[in-house]
Amino acid sequence: MARVERTVVFIGRTGAGKSACANALAGAPLFPESSFSSSETKYVESRTVVVDWEMRQYRVKIVDTIGIGDTDLGHDEVLKRLAQACYECREGINAVFFVTGGRFTAEEADAWDIMWKVLFNATVIDYITIVRSRFPQFLNSSLLQTDCEQLKAQKGAAKRIMPNVKRIIYVDNPSSDYAGWEETRQKSRGVVMTHLSQCDSVFKPPELDEVNERISGHVEEKIASDGRIKALTEELGTAREQMEEVQVELRRQVAEERQKAAETELRLVREMNELLHERSSVQERQQSRRDVSGDRS
């Protein structure tokens, strides 16, 4: 059986069904789900699963990002998670699934702009698929056409997104509270896998390489620090009956590692802020030149 590699990134507003869609694709509850205003996905999470599909075996890396508009996370925290997502995708991306519940918000439009204008480049549009979630009639082609037209007719935030959209798929991934939820999710998985199986090309722009060149050292240092903190904390837990000085020393080491981790996070945020500023400045200069050229003509 032929084996195929795929990397897919899930992006979406808090509560839109992003993690539920990722779980349906994985065929297992690998990512925390929530239907509430506060996202369950507080960190970028990555899992690799093997899916047998139409005589081929797919090794799919699923990257589930934080929920857009999660008010529990500040600007710096969002940048840290964004940096982690870039790191997880450092080998390239086959597809970006932008999950929406049906009505686009200003926050989603902002995330859309950052994704293709700043972090990557305009060619990422060719790899983005709108995933319209929570659509129970997702197998009814006539209803899909009607809903697609309604999406395109939306005003406000949708005007910044829909004109650029080339692909839309429809799914429904109800929670276990609903009768027949497993069968429905399995059918949604079929829709997603049929689409993903056609995503053969890999998106790996120089902008992604540049981001990772600047942040990879910080991210790897942070991952290492987190691992050491976990190991030291576990060791501290087993030392409760040991001599007091041993516990004191372990606490000192934990505190030292946490300080290192905090300093690494500060450097990471600084790099991301500088990068976003630089990319935005380039975009503004390019727009100004286009405006001047238009005036002259």
Side-chain angles (χ1 to χ4, degrees), residues 24 138 171-173 184-193:
F138 67 97
V171 298
D172 186 35
N173 295 297
T184 301
R185 285 201 175 198
Q186 187 63 27
K187 291 177 180 178
S188 290
R189 188 192 199 200
V191 171
V192 174
M193 276 305 305

Side-chain angles (χ1 to χ4, degrees), residues 21 47 56 194 197-198 218 251 284:
C21 191
R47 299 286 188 278
R56 302 174 84 183
T194 298
S197 67
Q198 301 168 10
H218 302 311
R251 290 193 185 96
E284 291 173 1

Side-chain angles (χ1 to χ4, degrees), residues 6-113:
R6 288 288 187 270
T7 296
V8 56
V9 180
F10 282 87
I11 295 174
R13 177 169 50 85
T14 297
K18 170 180 59 64
S19 296
C21 191
N23 282 332
L25 173 58
L30 302 183
F31 306 98
E33 300 180 24
S34 174
S35 58
F36 303 102
S37 60
S38 180
S39 174
E40 285 293 327
T41 310
K42 300 297 184 184
Y43 299 89
V44 174
E45 298 190 55
S46 172
R47 299 286 188 278
T48 299
V49 298
V50 175
V51 181
D52 293 330
W53 184 257
E54 296 183 345
M55 305 301 294
R56 302 174 84 183
Q57 188 176 78
Y58 289 84
R59 187 174 181 271
V60 184
K61 182 176 184 179
I62 303 172
V63 181
D64 187 23
T65 62
I66 58 173
I68 296 170
D70 189 340
T71 56
D72 291 346
L73 295 176
H75 174 74
D76 286 357
E77 288 299 318
V78 170
L79 285 182
K80 284 185 241 178
R81 308 299 191 265
L82 200 56
Q84 186 184 351
C86 290
Y87 180 78
E88 291 290 349
C89 302
R90 59 193 180 279
E91 298 302 324
I93 306 167
N94 294 97
V96 177
F97 287 164
F98 198 96
V99 184
T100 179
R103 179 159 292 279
F104 293 106
T105 66
E107 293 161 326
E108 286 175 307
D110 289 343
W112 179 277
D113 289 342

Side-chain angles (χ1 to χ4, degrees), residues 174-184:
S175 69
S176 57
D177 298 332
Y178 293 83
W181 69 279
E182 290 179 300
E183 181 181 357
T184 301

